[in-house]
Amino acid sequence: MNLPNIIRPEHTFIGVSAPTKWRALQTIADKAAKAFSVDGQTILKALEAREKLGSTGIGNGIAIPHAAIDGMTNPRGLLLRFAQPLDFEAIDDIPTDIAFVLLFGENNRGEYLNVLSAIARRLQSDGALAAMRKARTVDEFYSDFIADSRV
């Protein structure tokens, strides 16, 4: 799985302000709409519908909001670090500071699971998350996520 083809440097953000999970989803939808030329309300409704099924906060300060979006042909994503951790209703009750957003077409559900698996493998290293949390710039943040090796 080639994550740089799905989450690109220009779709990476740090210091994103959102007081609540629902405002975070709105901000994510706005950023995704601009990045992928898809209607923001369509994205927001899909993300909210998925979140109502159960939190995408997977724990350890990480959330992976995701949804199928009509018209998308390839999985695409955003990488965000929030200005302040927020309650994403994660399974471990740890506030979320990093979100990986995945959007995919109805026909890409199998590929989406591969992307989730690739992200999970990247995050297994505590060093990766620590580096991402300490990154001062968007470039550092993205590079710390994409890097193939950890010190």
Side-chain angles (χ1 to χ4, degrees):
M1 179 57 49
N2 192 351
L3 287 176
N5 288 339
I6 295 166
I7 300 175
R8 304 183 53 92
E10 63 269 24
H11 303 143
T12 303
F13 308 90
I14 62 174
V16 176
S17 292
T20 67
K21 172 171 75 168
W22 303 105
R23 291 288 294 167
L25 293 175
Q26 185 174 35
T27 299
I28 287 166
D30 291 344
K31 290 184 179 302
K34 290 176 187 162
F36 309 130
S37 300
V38 176
D39 178 64
Q41 283 301 311
T42 299
I43 295 170
L44 179 60
K45 287 179 184 176
L47 289 172
E48 287 177 337
R50 169 55 191 88
E51 204 64 35
K52 287 177 183 174
L53 296 175
S55 178
T56 56
I58 63 170
N60 200 21
I62 305 297
I64 307 180
H66 56 280
I69 306 295
D70 286 337
M72 290 196 75
T73 55
N74 297 309
R76 300 302 303 269
L78 303 175
L79 176 58
L80 300 97
R81 188 175 73 201
F82 296 109
Q84 298 294 321
L86 58 118
D87 182 2
F88 226 89
E89 301 170 0
I91 57 173
D92 62 1
D93 291 325
I94 294 175
T96 295
D97 62 338
I98 296 175
F100 298 88
V101 181
L102 297 177
L103 304 175
F104 50 93
E106 285 291 342
N107 296 331
N108 300 105
R109 286 189 183 268
E111 192 172 351
Y112 139 79
L113 293 174
N114 292 334
V115 175
L116 279 180
S117 177
I119 289 171
R121 281 192 302 275
R122 296 285 175 143
L123 297 178
Q124 285 178 344
S125 164
D126 287 336
L129 280 175
M132 290 173 71
R133 288 182 168 124
K134 290 180 184 175
R136 294 178 185 244
T137 68
V138 169
D139 290 340
E140 287 177 17
F141 183 59
Y142 182 78
S143 293
D144 289 336
F145 172 62
I146 294 300
D148 286 330
S149 60
R150 304 282 178 216
V151 177

